[in-house]
Amino acid sequence: MAEIIQKDGTWAFDGDALRLTPGRDRNVGLLRRTLGELVVPLAALAGVSFEQGRKAGRLRLRLRDGADPLLLATGGRLTEPNDPYQLLVESDRYGVAEYFVEEVRGALLLDQVPPDPVTEYLLPGPSVPLSVSAGDGTASIDGECVRLEWNWKTEDAKAAAGARTVPLADIAAVEWLPAAGLENGHLRLTVRNAPTQAPPKYDPNAVELWGFKKDPLMALVAAAVQARLPHPSGPGAGAPRTETVHTEAVPEAVPGAAGPPEPGAPGRLAPAPAAATAEDEHDALLRRLRELGELHRTGVLTDDEFSMAKQAVLKRM
């Protein structure tokens, strides 16, 4: 058995599976702490590596494509503090980390585990029932349905429709995107026979995320949904699923639409027509400042979070 114990967490390997336990250090992300101990079967691994640094190194696991519903749902967008497949290693434990890598690689060779993609999930995903509150709503999954409920921060046009319950059988895909810069993130359900072209702020099948502390937990809901959908490479998946293109166009009856995102960003909303003027963008940034001020006054944003977000907007202006 090989084991490495660090402030960042503990990894143990018994020849058949790796047991990844998050540490209690303040730098461990909320998603990792909430996910808890993770058991990864050897058959789900494509490789393992160790990278040395001047003050600290990093152990990394590479899973076979399609093995983990969490990685499928997040598309490689998890930050290092929230990525359960990375472990920060102190410099005095480099030898232990290298031994750990040798043991895992040896087992992969001995068992002749191929690095090829898989056609079924080899990890179960987060357990249910599961409920997360972040951004403009709460997403819950009980194993049969996903329920979306709204809070006081939800846009009136979306909140007016009330809470929404979607059976898993009606869900074709799920997408989680973190907030990046001035671009908000989201958890979005693609519901069969109910396409939408509204941005997450107005989409009744999406929770809008603003980059706050609890946002990464929505990735757990996305993973729990993904684990209960047909595997995208499985024999019963049928024809490849096409992704819905969500444009930034907002119906005229819905005021206050957000400004266009940067063009070319993967999975982002399509940019608005080039006819938008500098004045429009300036007005959108002013609205953003007012929204941030309101979130700060009501306690949603801390002083530091408000200051950082405000500076980012002012730089754009």
Side-chain angles (χ1 to χ4, degrees):
M1 178 172 176
E3 184 179 54
I4 180 167
I5 302 173
Q6 294 290 278
K7 294 179 182 178
D8 195 44
T10 298
W11 285 13
F13 176 57
D14 63 6
D16 295 318
L18 291 97
R19 198 171 293 270
L20 316 179
T21 307
R24 297 183 179 180
D25 188 74
R26 62 184 179 87
N27 294 321
V28 177
L30 182 60
L31 184 146
R32 282 179 62 198
R33 295 200 302 269
T34 305
L35 187 60
E37 186 176 82
L38 197 60
V39 178
V40 183
L42 185 66
L45 280 186
V48 59
S49 63
F50 175 59
E51 303 164 4
Q52 293 189 15
R54 292 183 61 185
K55 295 183 178 180
R58 195 171 292 275
L59 269 172
R60 299 179 190 269
L61 293 181
R62 183 166 57 88
L63 271 62
R64 299 170 66 185
D65 289 344
D68 182 15
L70 175 63
L71 295 183
L72 272 177
T74 56
R77 302 181 188 97
L78 289 176
T79 57
E80 289 184 353
N82 290 300
D83 188 344
Y85 301 116
Q86 298 187 36
L87 181 71
L88 198 63
V89 178
E90 298 166 13
S91 58
D92 60 349
R93 291 293 183 269
Y94 283 180
V96 178
E98 290 169 350
Y99 171 75
F100 188 92
V101 168
E102 290 175 1
E103 288 292 297
V104 176
R105 285 178 176 170
L108 288 171
L109 287 173
L110 188 63
D111 284 22
Q112 297 183 343
V113 177
D116 306 335
V118 298
T119 57
E120 62 179 354
Y121 300 121
L122 300 182
L123 281 86
S127 58
V128 297
L130 175 65
S131 182
V132 173
S133 296
D136 70 349
T138 297
S140 308
I141 175 173
D142 61 5
E144 296 181 357
C145 297
V146 178
R147 183 171 176 81
L148 303 178
E149 300 174 86
W150 314 117
N151 56 37
W152 63 271
K153 301 185 288 290
T154 309
E155 178 68 29
D156 291 344
K158 183 164 72 172
R164 180 156 173 75
T165 300
V166 184
L168 283 169
D170 293 342
I171 298 175
V174 61
E175 179 186 55
W176 174 82
L177 278 176
L182 293 178
E183 296 298 328
N184 294 338
H186 63 259
L187 169 76
R188 190 197 296 270
L189 305 176
T190 300
V191 180
R192 301 181 195 279
N193 303 319
T196 177
Q197 298 210 351
K201 185 174 185 177
Y202 305 102
D203 186 353
N205 295 317
V207 175
E208 187 179 32
L209 305 173
W210 299 310
F212 300 152
K213 184 177 179 181
K214 290 187 177 180
D215 282 12
L217 295 183
M218 278 293 178
L220 296 181
V221 177
V225 174
Q226 184 72 57
R228 287 155 182 82
L229 299 180
H231 194 284
S233 301
R241 291 180 294 198
T242 58
E243 295 188 6
T244 303
V245 177
H246 305 282
T247 68
E248 187 68 20
V250 180
E252 291 183 2
V254 184
E262 293 297 329
R268 293 296 185 188
L269 304 176
T277 65
E279 273 187 28
D280 294 334
E281 183 177 358
H282 189 267
D283 290 344
L285 292 173
L286 287 176
R287 287 196 299 271
R288 180 66 166 170
L289 280 175
R290 286 194 291 270
E291 290 174 0
L292 291 172
E294 181 63 24
L295 293 173
H296 181 233
R297 282 192 297 273
T298 53
V300 176
L301 281 177
T302 65
D303 292 343
D304 289 343
E305 289 171 336
F306 172 67
S307 179
M308 291 176 63
K310 182 177 72 172
Q311 289 301 321
V313 175
L314 291 176
K315 286 180 181 178
R316 283 283 300 270
M317 294 178 70

